[in-house]
Amino acid sequence: MRSIWNGSISFGLVTIPVKTYSATDRTSSVSFVRIHEEDGAQVQYRKICELDGEEVPNEEVGKGYQAPGDDTIVPVTDEDLSRLPMPTAKTLSILSFVDPDEIDPLQMDKAYYLGPNGAAATKPYTLLREALEDHRKVAVGKVAMRGRESLAMLRAHAGAIVMHTLLWPDQLRPVTGVAPDEVELRENELKLAETLMDSLGELDPAELHDDYREAVEALVAAKLEGEPVAPAASGPSGAQVIDLTAALEKSVRAARDGRDAGADSESESASVTPIRGRKAAKKGEAEQGAAKKSGAAAKKTTGKKTAAATAKKAPAKKTAAAPKAAGGQAKDTSTAKKTAAAGTSRKTASKSTAKKTAARKTSKRSSA
């Protein structure tokens, strides 16, 4: 990381040489260039002199000061600026140590990391960092960077000292005409709002990303590949008149459902559900609910089909059993008839034999 300013921190009689590094990177944000729509060529910016209309090269461009409300421009050179009394040109002079709440966030401008410049600066640098952290204070001072003097705030962060340049108090615009007139709020509305605040859960910075930049990159990739650009999903329409209490109650329920879903997911997979996943959790919940409903419907349908199949098979079994039973009864009846016929024939044969025996005895007697 390349330092952009070298100076020192003046802490009473202690001087801490430091190097300054930019703490933010704005190059990842979406930016566009101007092009000529007819041929797609980039449109260049040229520095044109207002008097002669000629283009001015960079080496001939200087500084000038124009007072507000005055058309007169006074040339100012770097040599003129170097003669000005500016004790903060190379030194950040700490003026006071205050509570962090005393700094209005509206004054925050840019952030820089401060690192010790040389081995001799390590100990006083660490001393100041530990003092800020243990005392829970921030330091406020003045520093001149890039040709201008600014207020600055120092705070301990992640083992380093961070400097925030601050806007001057007179650079903050008044809020006159912005805030609404007094509005009457019911006690239950305020309680619901506080409950919703407590139900939303914690913020996971690792899950925060620029959705718009990703959408622009996807759009550019699609154009390069010659693919059709997918239309954007339509968002909610403009402002709507709603029941504030009902909306708060619904929001609280949704937040609690999302938190419960996150707890279930954590118990199952030992992972934390981030805040951005609340919509995803709701969507996943809906999909799981749909899956459960589909499963229940499938089971219900399968049960119905099984019952219907059983009902169809049962009559077939009864029908098949009926002929069998009928066949058994017919078989038994035929056997009984045969048995009865055999008995009758035996009786008839016995009677015939008896008659023949009696006839023989009668004929013997007659012969004698």
Side-chain angles (χ1 to χ4, degrees):
M1 189 183 299
R2 186 176 63 87
S3 63
I4 60 174
W5 181 83
N6 295 341
S8 61
I9 299 174
S10 176
F11 176 30
L13 297 178
V14 178
T15 300
I16 309 172
V18 293
K19 289 185 176 183
T20 306
Y21 308 90
S22 180
T24 58
D25 181 12
R26 301 189 181 185
T27 58
S28 61
S29 60
V30 175
S31 61
F32 300 97
V33 296
R34 294 182 179 272
I35 63 171
H36 188 197
E37 291 184 350
E38 291 186 2
D39 52 23
Q42 185 173 347
V43 176
Q44 298 181 354
Y45 291 92
R46 296 183 179 181
K47 301 177 179 67
I48 305 299
C49 178
E50 292 185 354
L51 292 180
D52 56 20
E54 298 293 331
E55 184 177 355
V56 180
N58 289 332
E59 59 270 15
E60 294 182 11
V61 176
K63 295 184 182 70
Y65 181 81
Q66 184 177 9
D70 191 353
D71 294 336
T72 304
I73 299 177
V74 179
V76 178
T77 65
D78 292 336
E79 184 179 357
D80 294 334
L81 295 175
S82 64
R83 295 174 182 173
L84 295 177
M86 189 180 291
T88 59
K90 286 293 182 180
T91 303
L92 192 158
S93 301
I94 295 178
L95 304 176
S96 179
F97 293 90
V98 300
D99 293 330
D101 294 339
E102 295 184 30
I103 304 299
D104 191 338
L106 288 175
Q107 289 184 257
M108 297 287 189
D109 191 12
K110 295 181 180 179
Y112 302 89
Y113 292 134
L114 299 183
N117 189 2
T122 303
K123 187 171 183 178
Y125 177 92
T126 305
L127 174 64
L128 177 58
R129 183 199 65 201
E130 292 296 323
L132 290 172
E133 189 169 345
D134 292 344
H135 207 42
R136 297 181 180 179
K137 296 284 186 177
V138 296
V140 177
K142 295 193 297 182
V143 63
M145 291 178 62
R146 296 180 175 178
R148 66 183 63 187
E149 189 177 53
S150 302
L151 281 175
M153 180 191 76
L154 303 183
R155 66 183 180 95
H157 173 72
I161 297 176
V162 177
M163 179 180 70
H164 296 270
T165 55
L166 305 177
L167 300 176
W168 297 98
D170 59 357
Q171 291 180 297
L172 300 182
R173 294 178 177 178
V175 73
T176 306
V178 177
D181 297 333
E182 293 185 3
V183 179
E184 184 178 355
L185 296 176
R186 294 193 294 269
E187 185 177 356
N188 64 324
E189 292 174 341
L190 186 58
K191 287 183 177 179
L192 283 171
E194 294 173 352
T195 303
L196 177 59
M197 292 168 64
D198 295 335
S199 302
L200 287 179
E202 297 181 357
L203 181 66
D204 185 3
E207 295 296 331
L208 300 177
H209 54 91
D210 190 346
D211 293 327
Y212 180 72
R213 177 169 60 87
E214 293 179 359
V216 171
E217 291 173 352
L219 169 67
V220 173
K223 282 182 170 290
L224 288 175
E225 296 293 333
E227 299 177 356
V229 179
S234 58
S237 56
Q240 300 178 357
V241 179
I242 60 172
D243 184 348
L244 181 59
T245 303
L248 286 171
E249 291 175 348
K250 187 175 180 180
S251 300
V252 169
R253 287 195 299 271
R256 286 177 176 172
D257 291 343
R259 186 176 59 184
D260 293 342
D264 294 341
S265 175
E266 182 179 358
S267 62
E268 291 177 2
S269 59
S271 62
V272 179
T273 301
I275 192 171
R276 73 129 182 133
R278 283 198 302 274
K279 294 183 179 179
K282 292 177 185 175
K283 183 177 179 182
E285 233 178 281
E287 291 177 353
Q288 290 178 1
K292 288 180 180 178
K293 289 182 180 179
S294 300
K299 288 181 180 178
K300 195 172 180 181
T301 306
T302 305
K304 288 182 178 180
K305 289 181 178 179
T306 305
T310 304
K312 287 181 180 179
K313 289 179 180 179
K317 288 182 179 179
K318 289 182 181 179
T319 308
K324 188 176 180 181
Q329 289 178 359
K331 190 173 183 180
D332 294 342
T333 305
S334 175
T335 304
K337 285 181 179 182
K338 288 181 180 179
T339 304
T344 304
S345 61
R346 285 175 185 174
K347 288 180 181 180
T348 306
S350 298
K351 287 182 180 180
S352 175
T353 304
K355 284 182 178 181
K356 287 180 179 180
T357 303
R360 288 176 184 175
K361 288 181 179 180
T362 303
S363 60
K364 285 181 180 181
R365 287 175 184 175
S366 300
S367 315

